[in-house]
Amino acid sequence: MHTTVGIVGGGPAGLLLARLLHRAGVDSVVLERRDRAYVEARQRAGILEQPTVDVLRAAGAGDRLDREGLVHDGIELRFAGRAHRVDFPSLTGGRRVTVYAQTEVVKDLIALRLADGGPLLFDAEVHAVDGADTDRPVVRYAHEGREHTLTCDYVVGCDGFHGIARDAVPEHLRTTYERTYPYSWLGILAEAPPVYDELIYAHSPRGFALASMRTPTVSRLYLQVPNGTDPADWPDERVWDELDARLALDADPDRRLKRGPVTRKSVLPMRSWVTEPMRHGRLFLAGDAAHIVPPTGAKGLNLAVADVVVLARALELRHTTGSEELLEAYSDTCLRRVWRAEHFSYSMTTTLHTDPDQSPFDTRLQLTQLDRIATSPHAAADLAANYTGLPLAAG
């Protein structure tokens, strides 16, 4: 089988790229190693930047998003027993964010791909990408008990941090930048209506906490915990009690979260990671295959969308004019946004979390930074601009 663009990975990045290419008249094949049920149930991000929402709408994937997504005009920062709301539209010229789970984005994009009739193979285990530096790269994969090859004009690795596509870039040509953090997130999904209208980011002497949601009846909540934490060590009541303690305000100390059945509990390690370049020959890396951010800044899914928008434009230009100018610039174009997002996510993470070795001096620095956001329109505008999403690169 041959295609113009072979896409390794059927998550949001790969599926959105396939949709954008279809609308541009460029054929593609999507290979996903998991089955459809697993992909559509995979819990990941839930905050969509304004540019991401705009892209999904333009791609025809906005109907259910507009009906069911929860539009948020700000976030609340809690620190030193008080609260400060950052109002996004007033600080960004009208930009907002939307709460709409990645699982729902994936469902929408799968439905569109199947309606388009483009090849989407689940349970397709990719073993290797060969010949990335030639004019006819080959993807080798297993499907339905047989070995197959897919020849392509271009290959795009959207298969995440643990995927195979990145291995096609020779190790001596790759540079990796990484930071690991001395804490993790314990996350729960609970059948409990959120008690707050918007996300709350809480700095506390007890550690960081985040109150989020998936729907008007489902809460998504996180606690900072030590690395290596076993979720079994955190019974449900302990989680709820700790969330209440970390989210408490001096002015309203008795307010509590609405509690309900916990349907999912997991521990998420915190990592910042980038590999450069994001292109080798006719292989392009996108999303988590090229970069990871800690979730504090809500950038992971949004960065993946930004990558594939740049790549789709470049492939469309190649298809319509023969020019490879944007393809050649792909890595540099994407990395400018990636590093901006890495810095923002790092700043949010280190300002809001308590390091196990943190000194009182370090804590005072965190509190003065949070107070600056609360009192300086310039600092608040910078946070709002980065959180709601910087403009997508033209390519």
Side-chain angles (χ1 to χ4, degrees), residues 155-208:
V155 178
V156 183
C158 300
D159 52 345
F161 179 76
H162 298 290
I164 196 72
R166 189 172 62 252
D167 292 341
V169 182
E171 191 170 352
H172 71 278
L173 297 179
R174 280 186 270 154
T175 302
T176 298
Y177 304 89
E178 183 173 14
R179 176 182 291 271
T180 56
Y181 297 86
Y183 35 72
S184 301
W185 276 10
L186 173 68
I188 67 166
L189 204 62
E191 293 179 359
V195 70
Y196 306 109
D197 294 330
E198 296 173 332
L199 272 67
I200 297 176
Y201 288 78
H203 175 284
S204 161
R206 304 172 69 99
F208 170 76

Side-chain angles (χ1 to χ4, degrees), residues 243 249 312 366:
L243 284 164
L249 293 173
Q366 291 177 321

